[in-house]
Amino acid sequence: MLFRVFDQGELPILFSALTARHEVIGPVEAGVDRHGKPFYAFEPATDFRALRLAYTTTKLPAKRYFLPCREDLATFRTSGSDWSKTVEYNVDRPRVFFGLHACDINALNKLDKVLTGGDYPMPWYAAKRRNMFIVGVDCEPQPSCFCRSMGADTALSGFDLFLTGIGDRYFAEILSNNAYNLLRGIRAVEPGEEEHVLYRRAVAEKTRKYTARVDTTDLTKILDMEFESPVWKSWGEKCLSCGSCAAVCPTCYCYGVEETVDIDLSVARKTKTLYSCNLVDFAQVAGGHNFRPESHSRLKYRYYHKHRGFVEAYEESLCTGCGRCGETCLAGINVPDVIASVRGEGGA
Amino acid sequence: MAAGGTKSWLGAPLLRPRVAFFELTSCGGCQLQVLNHEGTLLDFLSLVEVTDFREAMTERSHEYDIAFVEGCVSRSDEVARLRQIRRNARTLVALGSCACFGGVPRMKNRFPDPGLLAREIYGEYPMATETVRALDEIVPVDLKVHGCPFPKEELEKVVLHIALGKAIETPRHPICFECKANGNVCLFDLGELCLGPVTRGGCSAWCPGNRFGCWGCRGPADDANLDSLRAIAKEHGFSGEDLADRLECFGGFTPREAPEPSPRRKSRKRGTR
Amino acid sequence: MTRERTPDMEIPFVDVAGSPFRPPRRNDFAAFEYTYKAEVTRVHTLTAMETLYEIQLLDPEERRRFSFSPGQFVMLEVPGIGEAPFSISSSPLRRGAVELCIRKAGSLTTYLTKVPRGIRVGIRGPFGTAFPMERMHGENVLLIAGGLGLAPLRSAICYVQENRSRFQAVDIVYGAKEPSQLLFSYMYEAWRQDDIDLSIIVEKAGPLWKGPRGLITKRLKEILADRDHAECARNMYAIVCGPPVMFQYVCDQLNVYGIPMQKMFVSLERRMHCGMGKCCRCNVGSTYTCLKGPVFDYWTVLNLPEAI
Ligand SMILES: Cc1cc2nc3c(=O)[nH]c(=O)nc-3n(C[C@H](O)[C@H](O)[C@H](O)COP(=O)(O)OP(=O)(O)OC[C@H]3O[C@@H](n4cnc5c(N)ncnc54)[C@H](O)[C@@H]3O)c2cc1C
Ligand code: SF4
Ligand code: SF4
Ligand code: SF4
Ligand code: SF4
Ligand code: SF4
Ligand code: FES
């Protein structure tokens, strides 16, 4: 990995170099909540002053730009009884993400494992993923953040450039040739021992600020042991089966497929819609049988997929610890509390 | 699309169902929604054969395959009319919240003296009104198109699916999922009440999308967790009454009367092919 | 000065799109939505609920390439109507064509009951694990089906017929609710002629029914009662297809007679939308039925939370 250090005043130059040719998505303020606290969203940005690089976790992840909620997988044109199928990957240009936190970059890395790996990589995601330029920024842990427990508090790969503030300068990690070229346009120098110390201090300071944590020791085993645990039922009683947790999760990717015909009968579409395993008909089959009819069995499956199945397959969990699901859940269901209760530490 | 007016899909001719629209006690908003198809109205009409209203009401059965009925039942003559429609139609579709669960008029049932209410509304010319009921409290209903008004896409889908011979599915999950998918910020976070967590999805979160809490016009989602919503509303500082008023507004969450038994007719099945 | 300092940032566009009808390789982006165009060449009504469709790929080159093993499934698609998984019911020797035995259940399956022969459909696959037929060579085989379970089992039966000399004793035990629901009845004679011991048992039947009544397990007891446990353990395989309550009951009984759980195979059914380990709808516990299944040995199934 290459490192550089530059003045914070140089950042607008980098930004405008990117906006000059590309669509840039970055964190902007999206409103103020009922407690008077601002909240943020990833939106297309053209003005550096609109960016809020010191933002706290956005309510919704950047997922809609690479895993849209609805996407046509194919269209069909018919003539008589014959038809032809056209598959479009729905991407025609690269996109820049300016200011992703480590957890959200790790979310992409996790998605890469399942969606671009295996025998059947998923082209709609891969096409978008391969055409990204990502600038990461450091962050301040919020009370809901437990990324450190999930090993997602630092990003080791999956970005082009990562910026950590050290005083009035940025400590930049360079992962790609594109990022290297970009930095050549500004005044950036190689860090010395002094900057290394400052960087380590910044990281240590961040690490001290975590309040939420999840104990993942032996978690796959414990989840198996506690499959029949009564705590699932008590969480299930609270759960609204609303799927908000999956909608705001940067790593949830499951979906349903529907085929439709346009009302003028000109084309048929095969449309993918992101789904949530908490929704009542997630595991329902034709004829009405539902493999997970109760809300607690669906909620339990959510934890199984994230903290057991994915770990078994990829040796890491499908959760970055970003805390969005817990923040959004009206019923107050959140990962640290659920896992603690399954481990028998504190009740549901 | 084949020439000569008959439409086909993949070489198979489409069923062109004869449809009829009926209105019981309602505001007419749903009927507007039927006509409010702008660009797609012609395509919509070419999929069906709309039967003349009066002709549709004759004693001869099978004058129409599908009866779309909007509005709730609030008078005894409507009960008789609905039974007649049921006898004539292979498929009976309840159109809109009033037809599905009584809708706003159902709130009237709260008042102990219906006569008083009638005098208040109709002045010196009171009409004979009974308790407000939904269609399925009187006759079996094959399909429900929820909403006040219902989204026009949903009606188009019903007609198209019948023409194609496809089953019709309504979303079973709460609105929140669509609301989040649309990128909305939850209204509870902004200090407002919303019935989205218990209301059946499918409206693409119209109201929350316009920063207006959901009033539950589409009725309860499958497996709606009302107890949990009550706790949430309380925690967010809303009184039980605020919530109860909302839940009552469109009648979807109000306990129902059991439908009167009526033998299901075999031929009706053919209506959906 | 500023001019010199403005970096020039070009991100090369990576086009992952290939031609959509390029023959796919595994690990290839085009493999995902790759659809074989096919035609329904024969429609055979089996019962009031089930119909057998013979479906043939149109392209000769693709016909040559398309092959499968008993137990695998395909995704069948009709544009605008729907796409769903179905077990292949036909012989693996027939390249480029499959027979699907389909029960009328929802959108697509109801539509299929009305389509005329000759309709063009899409086929993706084959997907999933297969019954390990080769492992069973030289052994006794018990093929057990309840209801629609005969659909996947029929492919294994075809394999046994075509390789009859490679197997020792072969028994088929097939149970249905009533005689009118029996599938593939026109095949029974041929199976018997291939020295396969076929028992058909129904739960309810009118006076015209001459065969046995009751549950599959009753017939199994008769077959296994006179066999030696140790021998069963050594050289007996079983394939059990049917609803979970049925295969659980049957497998537990087979185990009592000495057949090891790893030598019994069952096929699981879950909701599926991709067949490729992406949509997650098919998960049992956290195992993908479309990738690790649908065929599992019974030991694995017992150890999957949620499976039964
Ligand atoms: C491995 C496997 C093998 C199967 N083999 C057969 C067979 O040989 N014969 C047969 O009649 N049926 C079989 N099924 C069941 C068959 O897939 C369903 O009957 C079919 O999906 C119903 O589709 P539909 O469009 O008619 O129903 P709808 O209710 O309209 O379903 C909509 C979609 O949901 C999914 N879905 C619904 N039910 C099921 C289900 N039971 N299994 C999987 N996906 C479902 C499908 O993607 C379907 O397109 C099999 C299922 C699996 C998983
Ligand atoms: S856990 Fe919370 S957000 Fe998720 S479905 Fe349940 S109530 Fe909704
Ligand atoms: S499960 Fe929750 S904490 Fe984990 S990545 Fe998803 S939203 Fe973030
Ligand atoms: S946790 Fe649930 S919602 Fe998220 S990807 Fe897995 S199955 Fe889908
Ligand atoms: S605004 Fe309403 S519908 Fe939207 S997420 Fe919040 S509670 Fe659900
Ligand atoms: S958000 Fe609620 S009130 Fe508004 S249209 Fe949808 S169901 Fe009706
Ligand atoms: S069918 Fe989609 S993951 Fe198995």
Side-chain angles (χ1 to χ4, degrees):
Chain A
M1 198 182 282
L2 277 178
F3 306 102
R4 289 286 181 276
V5 172
F6 61 86
D7 271 357
Q8 294 203 344
E10 302 280 317
L11 198 58
I13 303 171
L14 283 191
F15 181 78
S16 48
L18 291 164
T19 45
R21 284 167 180 267
H22 301 289
E23 184 185 16
V24 178
I25 313 292
V28 299
E29 194 174 314
V32 186
D33 71 10
R34 68 193 167 112
H35 304 298
K37 263 180 59 187
F39 55 83
Y40 304 91
F42 291 116
E43 297 291 346
T46 47
D47 183 358
F48 185 78
R49 283 164 301 181
L51 280 191
R52 293 288 173 271
L53 291 177
Y55 71 109
T56 53
T57 317
T58 53
K59 288 205 176 285
L60 293 160
K63 191 162 77 170
R64 71 175 149 127
Y65 298 102
F66 41 83
L67 264 185
C69 295
R70 283 177 76 78
E71 185 167 26
D72 280 353
L73 299 183
T75 49
F76 300 89
R77 299 219 163 251
T78 66
S79 69
S81 65
D82 201 8
W83 48 265
S84 60
K85 182 174 187 173
T86 311
V87 178
E88 298 257 11
Y89 299 150
N90 313 324
V91 60
D92 57 358
R93 70 185 81 114
R95 223 181 221 146
V96 175
F97 291 82
F98 199 95
L100 294 190
H101 288 164
C103 56
D104 285 347
I105 294 171
N106 281 314
L108 280 160
N109 293 341
K110 288 174 194 288
L111 287 174
D112 286 352
K113 296 219 155 132
V114 51
L115 297 182
T116 65
D119 282 342
Y120 302 104
M122 204 165 194
W124 300 271
Y125 172 80
K128 295 173 186 80
R129 177 65 168 128
R130 294 206 175 167
N131 287 295
M132 277 181 188
F133 181 86
I134 296 176
V135 181
V137 295
D138 62 341
C139 50
E140 179 152 345
Q142 299 300 301
S144 56
C145 296
F146 57 96
C147 54
R148 187 157 170 78
S149 305
M150 308 315 293
D153 55 331
T154 59
L156 299 175
S157 63
F159 57 86
D160 295 86
L161 186 65
F162 198 98
L163 308 175
T164 305
I166 47 168
D168 51 7
R169 287 176 298 165
Y170 279 118
F171 186 92
E173 298 158 54
I174 303 167
L175 270 195
S176 74
N177 193 186
N178 281 335
Y180 181 76
N181 289 345
L182 183 67
L183 280 188
R184 281 213 297 208
I186 61 167
R187 265 188 290 250
V189 296
E190 271 190 52
E193 192 46 40
E194 184 207 336
E195 285 83 12
H196 291 175
V197 170
L198 286 173
Y199 173 78
R200 288 200 293 271
R201 201 174 287 159
V203 172
E205 189 143 329
K206 173 179 171 180
T207 306
R208 261 199 307 279
K209 286 185 181 153
Y210 287 101
T211 48
R213 66 183 286 275
V214 167
D215 184 358
T216 56
T217 324
D218 273 347
L219 188 54
T220 53
K221 272 185 236 170
I222 288 168
L223 282 170
D224 267 2
M225 278 183 237
E226 303 300 335
F227 195 78
E228 304 294 343
S229 163
V231 298
W232 292 119
K233 278 223 170 66
S234 58
W235 288 114
E237 273 163 28
K238 295 185 179 179
C239 178
L240 299 153
S241 299
C242 70
S244 292
C245 40
V248 303
C249 177
T251 57
C252 279
Y253 58 87
C254 62
Y255 61 90
V257 172
E258 198 191 11
E259 301 227 358
T260 52
V261 181
D262 282 10
I263 183 114
D264 60 3
L265 303 177
S266 57
V267 278
R269 290 165 206 287
K270 184 175 190 180
T271 310
K272 162 191 172 207
T273 311
L274 290 190
Y275 225 70
S276 156
C277 54
N278 286 97
L279 301 184
V280 62
D281 54 356
F282 184 84
Q284 186 165 325
V285 293
H289 182 70
N290 193 342
F291 286 96
R292 296 190 200 100
E294 313 96 352
S295 72
H296 73 84
S297 60
R298 297 190 292 271
L299 185 68
K300 178 162 67 181
Y301 168 71
R302 178 176 175 80
Y303 282 82
Y304 257 71
H305 184 210
K306 293 205 165 279
H307 300 279
R308 188 190 179 286
F310 206 81
V311 183
E312 197 175 46
Y314 303 107
E315 286 171 10
E316 57 179 87
S317 80
L318 184 63
C319 171
T320 64
C322 72
R324 284 187 179 96
C325 57
E327 287 294 283
T328 212
C329 179
L330 290 167
I333 300 172
N334 62 79
V335 182
D337 285 357
V338 170
I339 303 245
S341 73
V342 172
R343 300 185 77 101
E345 304 154 3
Chain B
M1 209 190 293
T6 47
K7 296 197 161 198
S8 66
W9 182 248
L10 298 175
L14 298 192
L15 198 80
R16 188 150 183 248
R18 305 190 70 189
V19 306
F21 289 88
F22 302 96
E23 193 183 340
L24 304 175
T25 302
S26 82
C27 66
C30 285
Q31 200 149 56
L32 270 179
Q33 197 69 354
V34 174
L35 296 172
N36 180 21
H37 283 262
E38 297 124 23
T40 51
L41 184 60
L42 284 180
D43 288 318
F44 175 80
L45 291 175
S46 70
L47 290 174
V48 295
E49 193 181 325
V50 181
T51 335
D52 178 73
F53 182 84
R54 264 169 301 268
E55 187 193 331
M57 276 309 291
T58 57
E59 288 296 317
R60 283 174 294 150
S61 60
H62 301 320
E63 284 293 351
Y64 41 86
D65 303 305
I66 312 170
F68 289 100
V69 183
E70 55 163 301
C72 55
V73 182
S74 69
R75 304 190 311 261
S76 56
D77 61 312
E78 288 177 338
V79 173
R81 220 171 130 216
L82 179 61
R83 292 225 164 93
Q84 183 62 45
I85 296 168
R86 173 72 276 185
R87 273 194 290 277
N88 290 2
R90 282 189 186 148
T91 304
L92 182 84
V93 184
L95 208 53
S97 295
C98 295
C100 291
F101 19 72
V104 178
R106 194 177 194 116
M107 263 199 287
K108 180 172 82 72
N109 297 356
R110 279 164 87 178
F111 298 93
D113 173 10
L116 179 81
L117 187 76
R119 279 192 296 283
E120 219 155 85
I121 296 173
Y122 302 107
E124 284 141 56
Y125 310 100
M127 292 178 61
T129 62
E130 302 173 359
T131 319
V132 167
R133 280 182 293 176
L135 305 190
D136 68 356
E137 288 170 287
I138 294 163
V139 296
V141 167
D142 301 299
L143 259 180
K144 291 180 181 176
V145 179
H146 305 270
C148 180
F150 58 86
K152 63 167 189 169
E153 295 79 10
E154 222 168 315
L155 176 65
E156 288 181 352
K157 196 170 164 181
V158 166
V159 167
L160 183 63
H161 280 210
I162 289 175
L164 286 167
K166 259 179 95 166
I168 297 152
E169 288 276 337
T170 31
R172 297 166 204 268
H173 54 257
I175 294 198
C176 294
F177 191 64
E178 295 164 35
C179 186
K180 294 270 167 31
N182 289 353
N184 300 334
V185 171
C186 182
L187 290 168
F188 277 98
D189 283 346
L190 302 176
E192 278 167 55
L193 184 58
C194 180
L195 293 192
V198 292
T199 303
R200 182 181 300 278
C203 63
S204 196
W206 259 348
C207 303
N210 290 302
R211 297 229 157 175
F212 196 75
C214 171
W215 280 75
C217 80
R218 297 173 60 80
D222 284 18
D223 220 10
N225 192 343
L226 281 164
D227 287 340
S228 183
L229 181 66
R230 281 192 192 101
I232 291 161
K234 195 168 156 207
E235 214 172 276
H236 281 76
F238 301 103
S239 71
E241 220 160 86
D242 283 346
L243 184 63
D245 280 351
R246 251 188 216 225
L247 286 170
E248 200 156 15
C249 184
F250 285 97
F253 295 89
T254 318
R256 319 284 298 278
E257 280 177 42
E260 285 177 26
S262 145
R264 286 180 76 93
R265 290 144 37 108
K266 271 205 191 105
S267 62
R268 241 185 322 106
K269 285 248 153 57
R270 279 192 280 141
T272 44
R273 272 232 237 171
Chain C
M1 178 68 183
T2 36
R3 209 184 126 70
E4 176 200 281
R5 287 189 53 216
T6 305
D8 187 13
M9 186 55 193
E10 186 68 75
I11 308 171
F13 179 67
V14 189
D15 191 2
V16 305
S19 133
F21 281 96
R22 181 159 51 92
R25 287 169 283 117
R26 293 206 144 198
N27 248 314
D28 179 346
F29 288 124
F32 202 91
E33 262 305 316
Y34 191 82
T35 310
Y36 296 106
K37 205 191 260 186
E39 188 171 302
V40 177
T41 44
R42 210 159 55 89
V43 180
H44 182 152
T45 306
L46 296 178
T47 71
M49 292 301 283
E50 285 95 4
T51 313
L52 187 70
Y53 300 86
E54 183 192 68
I55 294 164
Q56 214 160 61
L57 307 197
L58 289 177
D59 185 85
E61 170 52 34
E62 288 181 340
R63 267 210 293 272
R64 226 167 299 131
R65 206 170 52 228
F66 184 91
S67 67
F68 65 91
S69 305
Q72 286 195 295
F73 67 95
V74 290
M75 297 294 278
L76 174 70
E77 176 169 41
V78 176
I81 307 298
E83 182 179 48
F86 299 99
S87 303
I88 305 172
S89 288
S90 49
S91 156
L93 283 186
R94 285 188 59 202
R95 290 224 152 189
V98 291
E99 284 176 18
L100 306 178
C101 168
I102 297 180
R103 173 178 288 175
K104 182 174 164 177
S107 270
L108 174 69
T109 47
T110 310
Y111 183 85
L112 285 172
T113 58
K114 282 167 265 183
V115 296
R117 207 168 60 99
I119 186 188
R120 302 233 157 138
V121 297
I123 294 274
R124 292 194 296 122
F127 298 120
T129 51
F131 303 120
M133 302 308 292
E134 270 125 44
R135 228 192 286 165
M136 303 178 194
H137 286 174
E139 313 278 357
N140 299 317
V141 181
L142 260 177
L143 304 170
I144 303 161
L148 192 55
L150 195 59
L153 196 69
R154 159 123 186 278
S155 184
I157 298 175
C158 290
Y159 180 95
V160 170
Q161 282 182 288
E162 281 146 9
N163 300 276
R164 184 63 190 87
S165 61
R166 294 176 192 261
F167 296 89
Q168 304 277 326
V170 178
D171 285 275
I172 299 177
V173 182
Y174 173 39
K177 283 239 155 53
E178 43 185 278
S180 67
Q181 295 180 1
L182 289 172
L183 300 169
F184 297 109
S185 48
Y186 60 97
M187 296 294 301
Y188 300 164
E189 211 28 61
W191 294 347
R192 290 197 170 108
Q193 270 167 20
D194 276 324
D195 189 24
I196 295 173
D197 194 331
L198 171 67
S199 328
I200 295 194
I201 187 157
V202 297
E203 280 171 42
K204 288 194 308 239
L208 286 176
W209 176 251
K210 299 280 179 287
R213 293 158 204 244
L215 295 171
I216 292 173
T217 40
K218 185 177 121 192
R219 175 73 194 127
L220 281 176
K221 270 189 198 135
E222 291 163 15
I223 296 179
L224 293 167
D226 51 330
R227 292 203 197 184
D228 178 47
H229 277 209
E231 195 190 306
C232 280
R234 212 170 40 243
N235 61 8
M236 185 80 111
Y237 276 88
I239 300 178
V240 189
C241 296
V245 273
M246 172 256 174
F247 72 64
Q248 185 185 17
Y249 199 60
V250 168
C251 290
D252 286 346
Q253 195 173 42
L254 295 181
N255 195 227
V256 171
Y257 283 102
I259 306 182
M261 292 199 233
Q262 307 94 296
K263 288 184 163 189
M264 300 182 222
F265 298 89
V266 302
S267 176
L268 294 192
E269 188 185 319
R270 284 297 185 279
R271 188 171 182 132
M272 290 188 178
H273 280 295
C274 68
M276 297 176 161
K278 301 292 183 264
C279 75
C280 299
R281 302 299 282 272
C282 67
N283 283 200
V284 178
S286 47
T287 301
Y288 288 88
T289 309
C290 64
L291 297 180
K292 298 270 175 71
V295 174
F296 292 93
D297 67 57
Y298 187 55
W299 165 252
T300 307
V301 168
L302 276 189
N303 287 295
L304 288 180
E306 283 195 337
I308 300 176

